[in-house]
Structure formats: structure tokens, C-alpha cells
Amino acid sequence: MNRPLPSRSQAIGRDALLDNLRRVRDLTVRLCEPLRAEDSVVQSAPETSPAKWHLAHTTWFFENFLLIPYLPEYGPFHPRFGFLFNSYYESMGEFHPRLQRGLLSRPSLEEIKAYRKYVDQYMGMLLEAPDTADAEQIRTRATLGIHHEQQHQELLLTDIKHLFACNPLRPAYREALAPDGRASPPLDWLHLPSGMYAFGHGGGGFAFDNESPRHRRYLDEFSLASRPVTNAEYTDFIVAGGYRQPTLWLSDGWRKINEARWTAPLYWEQQDGEWWQMTLAGYRRVEPDEPVCHVSYYEADAFARWAGKRLPTEFEWEAVAGTQTPDGNFLESGRFHPQPVRDGAGQFFGDVWEWTQSAYSPYPGYRPPTGALGEYNGKFMVSQLVLRGGSCVTPAMHVRASYRNFFYPQDRWQFMGIRLAA
Ligand SMILES: [Fe+2]
């Protein structure tokens, strides 16, 4: 999974950049430490990738977009890795089919770790070299590579969760942290009056190109829920027969839940009248006060209709979230699971990505960057929907109010949840 480009002026200073690069690269490796070599090879679904592939592809990004074009003394680590670990950049040549990533028992995990060290060493050389005419472009691309790697850190964890959920042994990626015992407060509503509001990246710090240009739109008055929908509330929808009432569902959604036989969120199972779920800490009961997650757009939309509400647009979401402090339960908490809302916080950031009803499309005046990196984002602006806010496995520094994530309406293996609007 890849995303768009930063503008040229947003790269950070060289020393901070190299330090940041090393910390992010190191974190990716540490996230793989609980895995056995066998865990890192398997691709459990078309939309997921093996951990080993994530380790290699993020490295390929630095090799092909920085070292090969900008470091003359660099020689590629392996002549075929460009084919194996290019994700979808047509401009960069042919690539290995996405659905066959799980067949790559070779190169070994040890070879991929050596590939990472090799590229990291040369990236240090590139960023520590005296500035040349390409210095700004190098920093811009390196910054993009860091944010690209953070996107893959999240994908790595969600893909491991999917893989382990397929295993009858129910392996735990890590031990569970003690629950903090919070209870979810009653739902409240945050009201905004009608008027003109500004959207998109306003400058300062990194942003992907799909967050620009900043522009204004008129919004009618609306209200947003003060927190995401909880497991308890979603269970009420299930018990009320929500999955059996066609009038609640979009046509594509009704077809999907019947073909796939969905009767609950992904990873939920009923045992002796109780709901259980797979988590990155293993198999356990569904906690009623936690935000519901692993629901598709179709399920989010049907729930909202059942509740007599609707999903927000991405602009309604941003108009409110832009006034909030972007803190929450992110990857750094180590919980890797959504938590009940904290008192007084709207929980707009972290825990679960929130589906919006907005189609993922370009902002007025958007132009994809030229060259191969123009494929990062613009070509995906059809048939997907925008999600906002980040999740419990998103790195904290990766998210902001203008951040636009996007997935297909049937996707639900990411930590995807629901916030109601009215
Ligand atoms: Fe990628």
C-alpha cells in the first residue's frame, strides 16, 4: 500500500532526517522480532502481504527512488530484487504479481535483513554527503520514504493479525497489556453551524499530496458523535437482526454479506452465547466498551442507517477534528487494539480509522507529481472511500487532521470503525 508525495518544501533538516530515518527503519525490524521466520513468508489474503515482503519493499523504495538515481557509487544489492519488491510502479518496470508474494520462500529472511542493512548503510552515506544540486529532492524523497515505511508498519501489523487469525492455534503476536478499565461514556453530539470551512494541508510539516490543495467548502450545519461506535452498540445491531434486513443495506453491501456470509465484524466468533475475537494479543472476549473495529464500509453504512443516523463526510470529520489535539491510542502505546474513549476526548485520532461517506477523489486543482512517484497516489482515486483519524497501529507522528486514508468498501482487515453523523 502506498500513498502520495509531499511538497518539495516540506522536507526536514538533514541531521534530523537521518535520525528519523534510522529510528523508523529500526522500528520496522523490531516489529518483526516476535515473528518466527515461517510467520514472515505467508500471504493470507490477496490484500495482505507477508512480513518479509514489507521488510523488503520498504527497502526497495529507498534503493530505487534515492540510491540508484542519486548515489553514483551505489550498486543494487541483487539484480532481481527490483522485480520482486516493486509493488505497482509501472514506470519502474515489470514486477512480481501481487497475489504471489506468499510464494517467495527465497530470498530468505536473513537475506532480506542483509538487504536492509546494506541499503541503510548507503542511505546514511547519501544523507551525510555534502549537499549537491539534488539535495532538496533527496530530502523530499527520503522524507516520503520514511512516511511510506510507516504506512507499511501499520500494514505489517494488520497483515500479521490476519495471518494469525487464520491459524487454529490462535497465536498471539504479543502478550496483552493490562486493561485500563475505562468505561465508555454515553454518546454525546458535537454540533457545528453551517458556513465556509477550510480543508486540506495548511503548510508546516509533512503531508501527502492528496491532502492538497487547501481549499474552502460550504457545509450545512451538522453534528458528529462524540466518540466512535462501541462493541456493545454494534452487538445491539446484530441482535436486532441487522445482518438480515435488506432495507438497511446498500445493494453491493447486501450482495457482499450474503456471498461472504458475514454476520459480524471480521475476527468475531460466537461461543456459548458470547462474542469472542482475535486480537494481536490472541483470542479473547469482545469487550463491550471498546470501539467496534474491522467493519467494512457496507457494515458501517448499514449500522448508521439502523441507528437512524448516517456516516460523516470527510469534510465534516475534518472540520471538527481540526479543532482537536491529535493524540490518542497509537502504535506507540503497544496495545495494538482499540481502547474505550478517554474522558473529555472525542477520540478522533488513534484507535480506529473512521469510515466516511466521501469518495476518494482529488481536491480541486490537484495534480499528481510527474515521474514514477506520481503513481504513488493519484492513480488510486477511483472506487475507494476515505477514512480518517488513524488507528491503534498507526505511528503517532504519521497522522494529522488532513490525512486521507482510503480503502475499498468491502475491506475490513484494517482497524476500521464507525463514527455517526446527523
Ligand atoms: Fe508501498
Side-chain angles (χ1 to χ4, degrees), residues 215-288:
H215 63 287
R216 284 152 53 90
R217 289 173 189 249
Y218 177 83
L219 298 182
D220 280 325
E221 62 179 315
F222 66 96
S223 299
L224 288 190
S226 57
R227 57 162 174 74
V229 170
T230 63
N231 287 328
E233 290 161 344
Y234 199 83
T235 303
D236 289 344
F237 167 70
I238 298 172
V239 171
Y243 281 83
R244 300 191 301 273
Q245 297 179 38
T247 52
L248 293 176
W249 294 82
L250 294 167
S251 175
D252 288 353
W254 183 247
R255 183 167 60 245
K256 179 66 186 177
I257 66 168
N258 283 286
E259 285 175 359
R261 301 187 178 186
W262 287 352
T263 57
L266 181 61
Y267 305 133
W268 282 35
E269 287 178 16
Q270 208 163 23
Q271 286 197 2
D272 301 325
E274 279 190 299
W275 285 105
W276 287 64
Q277 68 181 157
M278 187 63 180
T279 74
L280 279 165
Y283 196 56
R284 68 158 171 79
R285 281 189 181 80
V286 169
E287 293 294 332

Side-chain angles (χ1 to χ4, degrees), residues 35-322:
L35 302 179
R36 305 284 187 270
E38 293 89 336
D39 301 328
S40 73
V41 178
V42 182
Q43 180 175 20
S44 57
E47 62 270 28
T48 67
S49 297
K52 193 171 72 175
W53 188 89
H54 287 298
L55 287 168
H57 163 69
T58 47
T59 306
W60 170 88
F61 192 95
F62 289 106
E63 181 176 60
N64 283 270
F65 289 120
L66 283 139
L67 297 178
I68 291 174
Y70 296 115
L71 192 64
E73 57 267 50
Y74 182 78
F77 180 80
H78 190 288
R80 293 293 284 162
F81 279 15
F83 173 78
L84 287 183
F85 301 122
N86 176 1
S87 50
Y88 52 64
Y89 293 84
E90 307 283 352
S91 310
M92 301 295 282
E94 294 188 348
F95 46 83
H96 189 248
R98 173 170 190 158
L99 299 182
Q100 296 177 20
R101 289 174 184 168
L103 302 181
L104 298 175
S105 59
R106 306 294 176 92
S108 69
L109 181 59
E110 291 310 310
E111 285 174 278
I112 296 303
K113 287 180 178 174
Y115 177 38
R116 288 184 68 90
K117 282 185 181 167
Y118 180 83
V119 164
D120 286 345
Q121 196 174 2
Y122 279 99
M123 278 302 298
M125 195 183 298
L126 177 67
L127 294 181
E128 285 174 333
D131 278 357
T132 65
D134 295 320
E136 186 181 354
Q137 181 66 0
I138 289 170
R139 286 175 206 159
T140 298
R141 289 188 172 203
T143 302
L144 177 65
I146 289 169
H147 287 264
H148 171 252
E149 180 128 358
Q150 289 183 313
Q151 291 176 323
H152 279 276
Q153 288 170 349
E154 172 155 12
L155 293 169
L156 195 149
L157 289 169
T158 55
D159 293 357
I160 290 167
K161 181 172 180 177
H162 189 277
L163 173 66
F164 281 4
C166 295
N167 191 321
L169 296 179
R170 311 278 192 194
Y173 167 75
R174 52 152 299 155
E175 295 296 310
L177 299 181
D180 60 15
R182 287 200 301 259
S184 197
L187 192 67
D188 199 0
W189 293 91
L190 308 168
H191 182 77
L192 242 65
S194 60
M196 294 295 291
Y197 294 88
F199 303 99
H201 182 58
F206 175 87
F208 288 115
D209 65 349
N210 64 354
E211 299 166 55
S212 293
R214 189 163 171 84
H215 63 287
R216 284 152 53 90
R217 289 173 189 249
Y218 177 83
L219 298 182
D220 280 325
E221 62 179 315
F222 66 96
S223 299
L224 288 190
S226 57
R227 57 162 174 74
V229 170
T230 63
N231 287 328
E233 290 161 344
Y234 199 83
T235 303
D236 289 344
F237 167 70
I238 298 172
V239 171
Y243 281 83
R244 300 191 301 273
Q245 297 179 38
T247 52
L248 293 176
W249 294 82
L250 294 167
S251 175
D252 288 353
W254 183 247
R255 183 167 60 245
K256 179 66 186 177
I257 66 168
N258 283 286
E259 285 175 359
R261 301 187 178 186
W262 287 352
T263 57
L266 181 61
Y267 305 133
W268 282 35
E269 287 178 16
Q270 208 163 23
Q271 286 197 2
D272 301 325
E274 279 190 299
W275 285 105
W276 287 64
Q277 68 181 157
M278 187 63 180
T279 74
L280 279 165
Y283 196 56
R284 68 158 171 79
R285 281 189 181 80
V286 169
E287 293 294 332
D289 284 329
E290 291 170 357
V292 68
C293 67
H294 299 301
V295 290
S296 63
Y297 178 80
Y298 300 134
E299 290 161 300
D301 176 80
F303 176 89
R305 191 167 293 109
W306 172 78
K309 308 296 180 188
R310 61 177 174 83
L311 299 179
T313 68
E314 64 168 317
F315 304 105
E316 290 169 333
W317 190 97
E318 187 173 329
V320 177

